[in-house]
Amino acid sequence: MSDSLLVTDNLAMARAIIADDHPLFRAALTQALRDTLSDPILEAANFQQLLELLAKNPQIELVLLDLTMPGNRGLTGVVSLRHRYPEVLVVVVSANEQVTVMRQAMNYGASAYIPKSLPLVELQQAVQVVLAGETWLPEHLLAAVSADETDASADFAQRLEQLTPHQYRVLECLADGMLNKQIAYELNVQETTIKQHVSAILRKLNVINRTQAGVVFKQMLYSPDEQEH
């Protein structure tokens, strides 16, 4: 892959990561977006690789994220990226075309939701819209996704926004059933610090205990089959 940069306009200066576990799709997407994003476009095959690339490349502006790649459970990847790297634009590129999932992804901070069935030309246009500072949804689904319906994800998204990045990491651990001592070891902090974070999480999410916090997190962000694990 060439390291040369296309300096035609501000859009061409963008840096991006394509995060998807299918090599052929990553290659096709890279080829399709090369003129828009410029080289190099980085690639990640799982969510951990994505986080490592983001940590090593602070200039990254855009992530194209598959919802079902290894390490990404439901919409947790979108929320995690928004908490860890709030300046990075997150574009969901998924085979899941359920209106509810699209609406939830946008509520949780995605800049666009692009179905994988979309022609590559339209995908290019969608990315250009996002890089220009706008949000994007498929035109034929825009009305349905944007419909003013009662959606619990909107309220939960507002509550999640109140959490600090550290508190969000603790919440992820609570959802995995970890004890305070285990979380402290995982995050390399004192157990008393974890206790303080847990108290803040319960207050901000308006739940009564850590178990409820984990259950609500899974219900709102995991896909139905993942909630059972």
Side-chain angles (χ1 to χ4, degrees):
M1 186 177 293
S2 171
D3 289 330
S4 62
L5 300 179
L6 300 177
V7 194
T8 56
D9 52 36
N10 289 334
L11 297 182
M13 293 299 293
R15 292 291 177 274
I17 302 174
I18 295 175
D20 192 288
D21 59 326
H22 295 93
L24 292 179
F25 182 78
R26 291 201 309 270
L29 198 55
T30 297
Q31 184 65 35
L33 296 177
R34 185 162 289 160
D35 289 342
T36 300
L37 299 176
S38 81
D39 282 335
I41 299 173
L42 305 179
E43 298 180 12
N46 58 60
F47 197 73
Q48 184 58 40
Q49 286 181 4
L50 171 59
L51 293 179
E52 291 171 0
L53 285 175
L54 285 168
K56 295 176 182 177
N57 298 275
Q59 80 282 1
I60 292 296
E61 299 175 22
L62 176 71
V63 169
L64 292 98
L65 178 70
D66 176 35
L67 294 183
T68 58
M69 69 186 304
N72 181 24
R73 293 176 291 191
L75 293 164
T76 59
V78 174
V79 179
S80 180
L81 292 177
R82 297 298 299 143
H83 272 83
R84 296 172 189 241
Y85 301 97
E87 302 303 317
V88 175
L89 301 169
V90 180
V91 171
V92 174
V93 184
S94 176
N96 189 329
E97 298 188 27
Q98 296 181 30
V99 169
T100 300
V101 175
M102 291 185 182
R103 183 184 300 117
Q104 291 173 340
M106 300 302 286
N107 283 340
Y108 292 133
S111 294
Y113 195 110
I114 304 175
K116 286 187 175 181
S117 62
L118 200 72
L120 290 179
V121 173
E122 292 185 44
L123 189 146
Q124 291 173 324
Q125 295 172 349
V127 171
Q128 290 172 347
V129 168
V130 169
L131 291 175
E134 304 293 333
T135 59
W136 186 93
L137 286 165
E139 187 173 353
H140 67 288
L141 294 172
L142 182 59
V145 175
S146 304
D148 186 16
E149 298 180 8
T150 302
D151 191 332
S153 67
D155 177 70
F156 190 63
Q158 292 179 347
R159 294 185 182 279
L160 286 177
E161 288 179 358
Q162 300 176 38
L163 301 181
T164 67
H166 287 300
Q167 289 168 356
Y168 179 78
R169 286 288 293 113
V170 172
L171 177 57
E172 287 182 313
C173 293
L174 293 179
D176 286 334
M178 297 174 64
L179 302 174
N180 285 354
K181 184 176 182 179
Q182 295 171 313
I183 300 174
Y185 179 80
E186 176 74 17
L187 302 184
N188 194 29
V189 298
Q190 297 294 322
E191 188 173 349
T192 53
T193 300
I194 299 302
K195 291 179 179 179
Q196 293 171 354
H197 283 327
V198 171
S199 296
I201 290 168
L202 300 186
R203 183 180 68 255
K204 292 177 180 181
L205 296 188
N206 193 29
V207 294
I208 59 175
N209 56 47
R210 59 192 296 129
T211 300
Q212 188 179 9
V215 169
V216 171
F217 182 85
K218 289 182 177 181
Q219 288 177 340
M220 298 305 301
L221 297 177
Y222 286 18
S223 63
D225 58 324
E226 290 170 327
Q227 293 179 25
E228 299 176 1
H229 297 292

